[in-house]
């Protein structure tokens, strides 16, 4: 199956044109259950009940969590805080529910860390970095938005937290291979950029 996580260009940036609410309605109608165009996966797929665009699944001892993280000043602060609070709580629930069944975690979102999503990533304010620190297993956050490759080891000063920003837009799709559930290989299919973590 294919899962799509929303980005700011997909709906928030519609504000000056058709409005962000209309953009979000279009996104949900078009991509909200995009994975349903394929046969049901062989793994159990969990959707966040109040934010259906967020999905989680366990596959070959890797926990995948796809969350709706955007950083855009068109976003209404109260809605952004609600989303971040709810999906942070849900992400931690997925980690707790699946404890003992995974050796690494892949979190997929859209936005790079910024002041607008510090509440989600914080290590000091009960953010996901606090949980990552406690787990002590490899965790990678894969996102777009910056339009160039960035590899940040020791994300938020944690040895087990890696951040990868994929180039996006006109670049090839990135192929991510996970070996032994704790080695991440990123192939950008451009003949030049590969990285191993």
């Amino acid at each position: 199956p294919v899962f799509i996580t929303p980005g700011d260009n997909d709906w928030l940036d519609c504000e000056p044109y058709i409005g962000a609410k209309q953009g979000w309605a279009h996104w949900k109608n078009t991509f909200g259950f995009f994975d349903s165009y394929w046969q049901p996966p062989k793994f159990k797929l969990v959707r966040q009940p109040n934010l259906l665009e967020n999905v989680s699944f366990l596959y070959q001892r890797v926990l995948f969590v796809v969350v709706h993280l955007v950083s855009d000043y068109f976003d209404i602060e109260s809605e952004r805080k609600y989303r971040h609070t709810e999906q942070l709580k849900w992400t931690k629930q997925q980690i707790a529910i699946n404890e003992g069944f995974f050796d690494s975690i892949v979190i997929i979102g859209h936005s790079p860390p910024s002041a607008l999503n510090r509440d989600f990533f914080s290590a000091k304010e009960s953010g996901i970095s606090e949980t990552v620190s406690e787990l002590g297993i490899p965790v990678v956050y894969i996102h777009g938005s910056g339009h160039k490759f960035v590899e940040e080891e020791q994300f938020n000063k944690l040895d087990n937290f890696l951040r990868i920003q994929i180039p996006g837009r006109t670049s090839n799709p990135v192929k991510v291979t996970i070996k032994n559930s704790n080695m991440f290989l990123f192939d950008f299919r451009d003949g030049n950029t590969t990285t191993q973590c």
Side-chain angles (χ1 to χ4, degrees):
V2 174
F3 303 99
I4 299 177
T5 186
D8 55 322
N9 300 139
D10 300 327
W11 69 281
L12 277 174
D13 292 349
C14 295
E15 186 55 43
Y17 310 103
I18 62 170
K21 287 188 187 296
Q22 186 64 43
W24 182 237
H26 287 317
W27 191 93
K28 288 195 303 186
N29 289 337
T30 306
F31 299 115
F33 292 90
F34 199 66
D35 56 285
S36 66
Y37 290 108
W38 286 264
Q39 291 183 350
K42 294 179 181 174
F43 47 80
K44 180 183 175 186
L45 179 68
V46 179
R47 289 190 186 278
Q48 185 172 354
N50 54 339
L51 295 167
L52 293 173
E53 67 272 21
N54 294 339
V55 298
S56 178
F57 56 93
L58 192 62
Y59 185 71
Q60 296 185 352
R61 298 201 56 82
V62 179
L63 179 64
F64 292 85
V65 182
V66 182
V67 290
H68 180 178
L69 282 174
V70 293
S71 295
D72 193 300
Y73 289 98
F74 285 126
D75 201 0
I76 297 168
E77 185 176 0
S78 61
E79 291 181 13
R80 181 177 64 244
K81 284 186 176 182
Y82 169 78
R83 263 196 326 273
H84 291 185
T85 300
E86 290 299 306
Q87 59 197 12
L88 177 60
K89 184 169 51 175
W90 181 75
T91 300
K92 289 180 176 187
Q93 285 173 349
Q94 295 309 302
I95 291 168
I97 289 168
N98 291 289
E99 189 174 2
F101 295 99
F102 58 84
D103 300 314
S104 59
I105 300 172
V106 175
I107 301 172
I108 300 170
H110 175 71
S111 292
S114 75
L116 294 175
N117 59 29
R118 184 180 301 127
D119 53 346
F120 185 85
F121 289 109
S122 175
K124 298 177 183 175
E125 302 163 12
S126 298
I128 198 65
S129 293
E130 182 179 76
T131 303
V132 170
S133 176
E134 292 167 0
L135 288 169
I137 62 170
V139 178
V140 62
Y141 173 57
I142 303 173
H143 67 89
S145 190
H147 309 295
K148 65 179 181 178
F149 171 70
V150 174
E151 177 181 348
E152 181 181 358
E153 294 186 18
Q154 298 179 326
F155 175 46
N156 271 359
K157 300 179 182 176
L158 296 174
D159 288 338
N160 62 319
F161 206 176
L162 169 70
R163 177 176 76 93
I164 296 287
Q165 177 175 280
I166 58 172
R169 288 205 178 166
T170 59
S171 60
N172 295 323
V174 177
K175 180 180 180 183
V176 181
T177 305
I178 303 172
K179 291 188 173 183
N180 301 323
S181 70
N182 63 7
M183 180 183 290
F184 303 94
L185 306 170
F186 296 86
D187 181 357
F188 292 83
R189 301 179 187 196
D190 60 3
N192 300 314
T193 315
T194 57
T195 189
Q196 177 176 318
C197 310

PDB file of all heavy atoms in Angstrom, residues 74-92:
ATOM      1  N   PHE A  74       0.230  29.943   8.047  1.00  0.00           N
ATOM      2  CA  PHE A  74      -1.199  29.962   7.734  1.00  0.00           C
ATOM      3  C   PHE A  74      -1.983  29.076   8.701  1.00  0.00           C
ATOM      4  O   PHE A  74      -3.183  29.198   8.840  1.00  0.00           O
ATOM      5  CB  PHE A  74      -1.469  29.482   6.299  1.00  0.00           C
ATOM      6  CG  PHE A  74      -1.127  30.484   5.244  1.00  0.00           C
ATOM      7  CD1 PHE A  74      -0.274  30.151   4.207  1.00  0.00           C
ATOM      8  CD2 PHE A  74      -1.660  31.767   5.276  1.00  0.00           C
ATOM      9  CE1 PHE A  74       0.034  31.066   3.215  1.00  0.00           C
ATOM     10  CE2 PHE A  74      -1.358  32.689   4.290  1.00  0.00           C
ATOM     11  CZ  PHE A  74      -0.506  32.344   3.261  1.00  0.00           C
ATOM     12  N   ASP A  75      -1.273  28.129   9.348  1.00  0.00           N
ATOM     13  CA  ASP A  75      -1.924  27.201  10.265  1.00  0.00           C
ATOM     14  C   ASP A  75      -2.441  27.970  11.485  1.00  0.00           C
ATOM     15  O   ASP A  75      -1.734  28.784  12.072  1.00  0.00           O
ATOM     16  CB  ASP A  75      -0.921  26.137  10.706  1.00  0.00           C
ATOM     17  CG  ASP A  75      -1.568  24.878  11.222  1.00  0.00           C
ATOM     18  OD1 ASP A  75      -2.812  24.812  11.251  1.00  0.00           O
ATOM     19  OD2 ASP A  75      -0.827  23.954  11.591  1.00  0.00           O
ATOM     20  N   ILE A  76      -3.669  27.710  11.859  1.00  0.00           N
ATOM     21  CA  ILE A  76      -4.249  28.351  13.035  1.00  0.00           C
ATOM     22  C   ILE A  76      -3.628  27.716  14.274  1.00  0.00           C
ATOM     23  O   ILE A  76      -3.636  26.487  14.422  1.00  0.00           O
ATOM     24  CB  ILE A  76      -5.785  28.193  13.028  1.00  0.00           C
ATOM     25  CG1 ILE A  76      -6.364  28.901  11.802  1.00  0.00           C
ATOM     26  CG2 ILE A  76      -6.400  28.723  14.315  1.00  0.00           C
ATOM     27  CD1 ILE A  76      -7.814  28.586  11.534  1.00  0.00           C
ATOM     28  N   GLU A  77      -3.083  28.546  15.138  1.00  0.00           N
ATOM     29  CA  GLU A  77      -2.299  28.053  16.273  1.00  0.00           C
ATOM     30  C   GLU A  77      -3.065  27.048  17.122  1.00  0.00           C
ATOM     31  O   GLU A  77      -2.529  26.008  17.501  1.00  0.00           O
ATOM     32  CB  GLU A  77      -1.821  29.216  17.135  1.00  0.00           C
ATOM     33  CG  GLU A  77      -0.906  28.767  18.252  1.00  0.00           C
ATOM     34  CD  GLU A  77      -0.339  29.916  19.070  1.00  0.00           C
ATOM     35  OE1 GLU A  77      -0.660  31.084  18.774  1.00  0.00           O
ATOM     36  OE2 GLU A  77       0.407  29.630  20.013  1.00  0.00           O
ATOM     37  N   SER A  78      -4.326  27.329  17.428  1.00  0.00           N
ATOM     38  CA  SER A  78      -5.086  26.411  18.278  1.00  0.00           C
ATOM     39  C   SER A  78      -5.274  25.051  17.599  1.00  0.00           C
ATOM     40  O   SER A  78      -5.210  24.009  18.259  1.00  0.00           O
ATOM     41  CB  SER A  78      -6.444  27.012  18.637  1.00  0.00           C
ATOM     42  OG  SER A  78      -7.210  27.255  17.468  1.00  0.00           O
ATOM     43  N   GLU A  79      -5.483  25.044  16.286  1.00  0.00           N
ATOM     44  CA  GLU A  79      -5.636  23.778  15.560  1.00  0.00           C
ATOM     45  C   GLU A  79      -4.308  23.019  15.520  1.00  0.00           C
ATOM     46  O   GLU A  79      -4.280  21.798  15.679  1.00  0.00           O
ATOM     47  CB  GLU A  79      -6.160  24.034  14.151  1.00  0.00           C
ATOM     48  CG  GLU A  79      -7.587  24.520  14.130  1.00  0.00           C
ATOM     49  CD  GLU A  79      -8.110  24.760  12.727  1.00  0.00           C
ATOM     50  OE1 GLU A  79      -7.469  24.330  11.747  1.00  0.00           O
ATOM     51  OE2 GLU A  79      -9.181  25.389  12.608  1.00  0.00           O
ATOM     52  N   ARG A  80      -3.226  23.750  15.301  1.00  0.00           N
ATOM     53  CA  ARG A  80      -1.896  23.117  15.263  1.00  0.00           C
ATOM     54  C   ARG A  80      -1.583  22.496  16.620  1.00  0.00           C
ATOM     55  O   ARG A  80      -1.129  21.350  16.698  1.00  0.00           O
ATOM     56  CB  ARG A  80      -0.836  24.145  14.871  1.00  0.00           C
ATOM     57  CG  ARG A  80       0.566  23.542  14.791  1.00  0.00           C
ATOM     58  CD  ARG A  80       1.617  24.547  14.330  1.00  0.00           C
ATOM     59  NE  ARG A  80       1.760  25.637  15.275  1.00  0.00           N
ATOM     60  CZ  ARG A  80       1.480  26.904  15.000  1.00  0.00           C
ATOM     61  NH1 ARG A  80       1.033  27.246  13.814  1.00  0.00           N
ATOM     62  NH2 ARG A  80       1.644  27.848  15.911  1.00  0.00           N
ATOM     63  N   LYS A  81      -1.828  23.231  17.697  1.00  0.00           N
ATOM     64  CA  LYS A  81      -1.545  22.698  19.036  1.00  0.00           C
ATOM     65  C   LYS A  81      -2.396  21.470  19.323  1.00  0.00           C
ATOM     66  O   LYS A  81      -1.921  20.501  19.912  1.00  0.00           O
ATOM     67  CB  LYS A  81      -1.763  23.778  20.100  1.00  0.00           C
ATOM     68  CG  LYS A  81      -0.645  24.789  20.141  1.00  0.00           C
ATOM     69  CD  LYS A  81      -0.819  25.759  21.292  1.00  0.00           C
ATOM     70  CE  LYS A  81       0.387  26.691  21.359  1.00  0.00           C
ATOM     71  NZ  LYS A  81       0.301  27.622  22.483  1.00  0.00           N
ATOM     72  N   TYR A  82      -3.660  21.519  18.912  1.00  0.00           N
ATOM     73  CA  TYR A  82      -4.534  20.353  19.093  1.00  0.00           C
ATOM     74  C   TYR A  82      -3.960  19.143  18.351  1.00  0.00           C
ATOM     75  O   TYR A  82      -3.839  18.058  18.924  1.00  0.00           O
ATOM     76  CB  TYR A  82      -5.946  20.660  18.597  1.00  0.00           C
ATOM     77  CG  TYR A  82      -6.819  19.429  18.499  1.00  0.00           C
ATOM     78  CD1 TYR A  82      -7.387  18.879  19.639  1.00  0.00           C
ATOM     79  CD2 TYR A  82      -7.037  18.800  17.274  1.00  0.00           C
ATOM     80  CE1 TYR A  82      -8.161  17.724  19.567  1.00  0.00           C
ATOM     81  CE2 TYR A  82      -7.809  17.654  17.192  1.00  0.00           C
ATOM     82  CZ  TYR A  82      -8.367  17.121  18.338  1.00  0.00           C
ATOM     83  OH  TYR A  82      -9.120  15.976  18.250  1.00  0.00           O
ATOM     84  N   ARG A  83      -3.618  19.326  17.064  1.00  0.00           N
ATOM     85  CA  ARG A  83      -3.063  18.222  16.271  1.00  0.00           C
ATOM     86  C   ARG A  83      -1.808  17.663  16.927  1.00  0.00           C
ATOM     87  O   ARG A  83      -1.666  16.448  17.078  1.00  0.00           O
ATOM     88  CB  ARG A  83      -2.715  18.693  14.852  1.00  0.00           C
ATOM     89  CG  ARG A  83      -3.737  18.432  13.813  1.00  0.00           C
ATOM     90  CD  ARG A  83      -3.223  18.545  12.390  1.00  0.00           C
ATOM     91  NE  ARG A  83      -2.201  19.535  12.174  1.00  0.00           N
ATOM     92  CZ  ARG A  83      -2.421  20.825  11.894  1.00  0.00           C
ATOM     93  NH1 ARG A  83      -3.650  21.284  11.811  1.00  0.00           N
ATOM     94  NH2 ARG A  83      -1.420  21.647  11.692  1.00  0.00           N
ATOM     95  N   HIS A  84      -0.883  18.544  17.299  1.00  0.00           N
ATOM     96  CA  HIS A  84       0.379  18.087  17.877  1.00  0.00           C
ATOM     97  C   HIS A  84       0.159  17.349  19.193  1.00  0.00           C
ATOM     98  O   HIS A  84       0.753  16.296  19.429  1.00  0.00           O
ATOM     99  CB  HIS A  84       1.329  19.259  18.082  1.00  0.00           C
ATOM    100  CG  HIS A  84       1.837  19.832  16.802  1.00  0.00           C
ATOM    101  ND1 HIS A  84       2.772  20.825  16.757  1.00  0.00           N
ATOM    102  CD2 HIS A  84       1.551  19.564  15.515  1.00  0.00           C
ATOM    103  CE1 HIS A  84       3.034  21.144  15.503  1.00  0.00           C
ATOM    104  NE2 HIS A  84       2.292  20.387  14.731  1.00  0.00           N
ATOM    105  N   THR A  85      -0.697  17.893  20.044  1.00  0.00           N
ATOM    106  CA  THR A  85      -0.977  17.245  21.331  1.00  0.00           C
ATOM    107  C   THR A  85      -1.584  15.866  21.124  1.00  0.00           C
ATOM    108  O   THR A  85      -1.149  14.879  21.731  1.00  0.00           O
ATOM    109  CB  THR A  85      -1.930  18.118  22.180  1.00  0.00           C
ATOM    110  OG1 THR A  85      -1.313  19.382  22.411  1.00  0.00           O
ATOM    111  CG2 THR A  85      -2.255  17.449  23.502  1.00  0.00           C
ATOM    112  N   GLU A  86      -2.585  15.794  20.252  1.00  0.00           N
ATOM    113  CA  GLU A  86      -3.274  14.524  20.016  1.00  0.00           C
ATOM    114  C   GLU A  86      -2.373  13.495  19.347  1.00  0.00           C
ATOM    115  O   GLU A  86      -2.364  12.325  19.725  1.00  0.00           O
ATOM    116  CB  GLU A  86      -4.530  14.752  19.175  1.00  0.00           C
ATOM    117  CG  GLU A  86      -5.626  15.480  19.917  1.00  0.00           C
ATOM    118  CD  GLU A  86      -6.107  14.717  21.149  1.00  0.00           C
ATOM    119  OE1 GLU A  86      -6.480  13.541  21.012  1.00  0.00           O
ATOM    120  OE2 GLU A  86      -6.085  15.311  22.243  1.00  0.00           O
ATOM    121  N   GLN A  87      -1.591  13.912  18.348  1.00  0.00           N
ATOM    122  CA  GLN A  87      -0.761  12.910  17.672  1.00  0.00           C
ATOM    123  C   GLN A  87       0.475  12.537  18.487  1.00  0.00           C
ATOM    124  O   GLN A  87       0.965  11.407  18.370  1.00  0.00           O
ATOM    125  CB  GLN A  87      -0.419  13.320  16.249  1.00  0.00           C
ATOM    126  CG  GLN A  87       0.310  14.582  16.062  1.00  0.00           C
ATOM    127  CD  GLN A  87       0.213  15.061  14.622  1.00  0.00           C
ATOM    128  OE1 GLN A  87      -0.568  14.588  13.809  1.00  0.00           O
ATOM    129  NE2 GLN A  87       1.017  16.028  14.298  1.00  0.00           N
ATOM    130  N   LEU A  88       0.950  13.412  19.344  1.00  0.00           N
ATOM    131  CA  LEU A  88       2.031  13.047  20.254  1.00  0.00           C
ATOM    132  C   LEU A  88       1.534  11.985  21.227  1.00  0.00           C
ATOM    133  O   LEU A  88       2.188  10.962  21.442  1.00  0.00           O
ATOM    134  CB  LEU A  88       2.539  14.282  21.005  1.00  0.00           C
ATOM    135  CG  LEU A  88       3.625  14.031  22.046  1.00  0.00           C
ATOM    136  CD1 LEU A  88       4.863  13.415  21.405  1.00  0.00           C
ATOM    137  CD2 LEU A  88       3.980  15.327  22.749  1.00  0.00           C
ATOM    138  N   LYS A  89       0.359  12.215  21.800  1.00  0.00           N
ATOM    139  CA  LYS A  89      -0.241  11.245  22.724  1.00  0.00           C
ATOM    140  C   LYS A  89      -0.466   9.908  22.006  1.00  0.00           C
ATOM    141  O   LYS A  89      -0.146   8.840  22.540  1.00  0.00           O
ATOM    142  CB  LYS A  89      -1.566  11.817  23.253  1.00  0.00           C
ATOM    143  CG  LYS A  89      -2.247  10.968  24.286  1.00  0.00           C
ATOM    144  CD  LYS A  89      -3.398  11.689  24.980  1.00  0.00           C
ATOM    145  CE  LYS A  89      -4.362  12.319  24.026  1.00  0.00           C
ATOM    146  NZ  LYS A  89      -5.544  12.909  24.695  1.00  0.00           N
ATOM    147  N   TRP A  90      -0.984   9.970  20.770  1.00  0.00           N
ATOM    148  CA  TRP A  90      -1.264   8.754  20.006  1.00  0.00           C
ATOM    149  C   TRP A  90       0.026   8.022  19.629  1.00  0.00           C
ATOM    150  O   TRP A  90       0.095   6.791  19.715  1.00  0.00           O
ATOM    151  CB  TRP A  90      -2.069   9.114  18.761  1.00  0.00           C
ATOM    152  CG  TRP A  90      -2.443   7.949  17.913  1.00  0.00           C
ATOM    153  CD1 TRP A  90      -3.405   7.017  18.161  1.00  0.00           C
ATOM    154  CD2 TRP A  90      -1.860   7.588  16.664  1.00  0.00           C
ATOM    155  NE1 TRP A  90      -3.464   6.106  17.131  1.00  0.00           N
ATOM    156  CE2 TRP A  90      -2.520   6.438  16.204  1.00  0.00           C
ATOM    157  CE3 TRP A  90      -0.839   8.139  15.888  1.00  0.00           C
ATOM    158  CZ2 TRP A  90      -2.186   5.820  15.004  1.00  0.00           C
ATOM    159  CZ3 TRP A  90      -0.508   7.520  14.695  1.00  0.00           C
ATOM    160  CH2 TRP A  90      -1.185   6.370  14.267  1.00  0.00           C
ATOM    161  N   THR A  91       1.065   8.767  19.236  1.00  0.00           N
ATOM    162  CA  THR A  91       2.352   8.147  18.894  1.00  0.00           C
ATOM    163  C   THR A  91       2.916   7.412  20.104  1.00  0.00           C
ATOM    164  O   THR A  91       3.373   6.266  19.998  1.00  0.00           O
ATOM    165  CB  THR A  91       3.355   9.214  18.393  1.00  0.00           C
ATOM    166  OG1 THR A  91       2.815   9.837  17.228  1.00  0.00           O
ATOM    167  CG2 THR A  91       4.703   8.597  18.058  1.00  0.00           C
ATOM    168  N   LYS A  92       2.855   8.037  21.257  1.00  0.00           N
ATOM    169  CA  LYS A  92       3.333   7.378  22.481  1.00  0.00           C
ATOM    170  C   LYS A  92       2.487   6.151  22.811  1.00  0.00           C
ATOM    171  O   LYS A  92       3.014   5.138  23.288  1.00  0.00           O
ATOM    172  CB  LYS A  92       3.317   8.367  23.647  1.00  0.00           C
ATOM    173  CG  LYS A  92       4.386   9.439  23.529  1.00  0.00           C
ATOM    174  CD  LYS A  92       4.333  10.391  24.712  1.00  0.00           C
ATOM    175  CE  LYS A  92       5.452  11.397  24.663  1.00  0.00           C
ATOM    176  NZ  LYS A  92       5.514  12.230  25.881  1.00  0.00           N
TER     177      LYS A  92
END
